[in-house]
Amino acid sequence: MTRSGRGEPSTDGPSWRDHLDRPTQAPATPGADAPAAYAPIGAFQGDAYHRNAFAHGTDEELAALRALVPLDEGTRVLDVGCADARHLRRLATADVIGVGVDVAPALIGAGRAAAQRAGVEVELLVGDARELTATLTTAGAATPGPGGFDVVWSLCQGALGTSPASDPRVVAELASAVRPGGWVVVTLFHALFAARHLAPGDAFDTRHLVHHQRSEVRGPDERRREFDLWTAAYTAREGVRLLADAGLTVHSVRGAEPGGYGRRAAGEVALDDPELLLVATRPG
């Protein structure tokens, strides 16, 4: 493989590989301005989102996050790609001020209904993570605007990971939303895990580090539907660079998994960690 004059890998030759490390085909990865890939998945799941296995680790995840960033009473937290706002709803019982944004109206509706049942207050907005500034600016006077949050996060690939073409834009929006000195937390799909554990039918782009699969999603009434799912994957070094390129100061990176954010010490990343958890601040 040759390299272009800008130091990037050339585009000649196949890049997708299957679980047996053979050349294979996959649908084209969504571009930076492609329709949000999570929107139809969220529309199908709606109230059934909470049944996803990865959504069952809320308590452990929040315990780990409390050890990493301030989540005291009155802290203003923005959850981007919040789905049904499971983290914010739990934090609201401790008087943390939560605002959630998700591209899928059905998931926002599920979160509002769940918050009402629990008797807690969270503000949930429909919006694309790539246009986060516009969503916050038009939300109303009661919602903190860009630069008004103490902590901003995107967890479980809720807003990041759909495409490496759009991820830098999303991280830049996260950085703009937090106040100077505030905290940004993201989880990213781990490239080494993805390549190590490809399943039959999966494909992995070895140049651009994108994982593709046909994913079966469970919806209401036990219905199931398959969706194309692309996930941009990162090594620890590339994850740090993604945040640093947005002007953030990265303090730690560690391996993680849903329900296992506290499984590793800072700097510890194993080959079998499905995700990377990065903690950064906006200089101020």
Side-chain angles (χ1 to χ4, degrees), residues 9-279:
S10 69
T11 56
D12 55 326
S15 60
W16 291 99
R17 313 291 291 189
D18 68 10
H19 68 293
L20 297 177
D21 199 17
R22 302 170 302 193
T24 189
Q25 299 291 322
T29 304
D33 297 313
Y38 291 150
I41 299 175
F44 174 68
Q45 284 196 304
D47 289 337
Y49 173 85
H50 71 278
R51 297 171 60 187
N52 287 308
F54 63 78
H56 296 167
T58 306
D59 288 338
E60 189 282 340
E61 291 163 5
L62 285 177
L65 290 167
R66 286 184 182 280
L68 297 173
V69 299
L71 292 174
D72 304 317
E73 179 180 344
T75 301
R76 296 163 296 179
V77 177
L78 175 64
D79 185 340
V80 185
C82 66
D84 67 355
R86 59 190 176 94
H87 294 99
L88 294 181
R89 287 188 279 113
R90 199 67 53 85
L91 285 173
T93 62
D95 293 323
V96 172
I97 301 168
V99 176
V101 176
D102 199 277
V103 74
L107 293 182
I108 291 296
R112 289 171 177 164
Q116 184 175 26
R117 290 194 299 270
V120 297
E121 290 189 12
V122 294
E123 183 176 7
L124 302 180
L125 308 170
V126 176
D128 191 314
R130 296 169 293 186
E131 304 294 343
L132 184 59
T133 297
T135 299
L136 296 176
T137 300
T138 59
T143 304
F149 290 89
D150 302 303
V151 180
V152 175
W153 62 44
S154 176
L155 308 175
C156 291
Q157 286 71 57
L160 287 164
T162 302
S163 170
S166 57
D167 278 356
R169 182 170 161 188
V170 172
V171 173
E173 291 287 289
L174 300 180
S176 295
V178 73
R179 63 169 174 79
W183 298 83
V184 174
V185 182
V186 301
T187 60
L188 302 170
F189 196 34
H190 186 199
L192 302 183
F193 175 91
R196 186 178 170 97
H197 295 288
L198 286 182
D202 289 4
F204 189 76
D205 185 335
T206 58
R207 278 205 308 273
H208 304 104
L209 304 185
V210 178
H211 177 258
H212 174 267
Q213 63 184 142
R214 286 289 294 172
S215 181
E216 185 179 77
V217 176
R218 293 197 304 173
D221 303 322
E222 300 299 326
R223 288 179 293 151
R224 298 172 184 263
R225 185 181 301 174
E226 281 197 345
F227 292 88
D228 281 299
L229 184 62
W230 297 266
T231 310
Y234 295 86
T235 64
R237 180 173 63 181
E238 289 168 330
V240 169
R241 185 170 65 183
L242 177 69
L243 271 63
D245 285 348
L248 296 170
T249 300
V250 180
H251 296 280
S252 66
V253 57
R254 70 195 71 210
E257 67 178 359
Y261 284 6
R263 66 184 297 187
R264 305 290 184 199
E268 183 182 7
V269 179
L271 292 175
D272 279 337
D273 289 329
E275 297 180 341
L276 302 171
L277 174 65
L278 291 91
V279 179

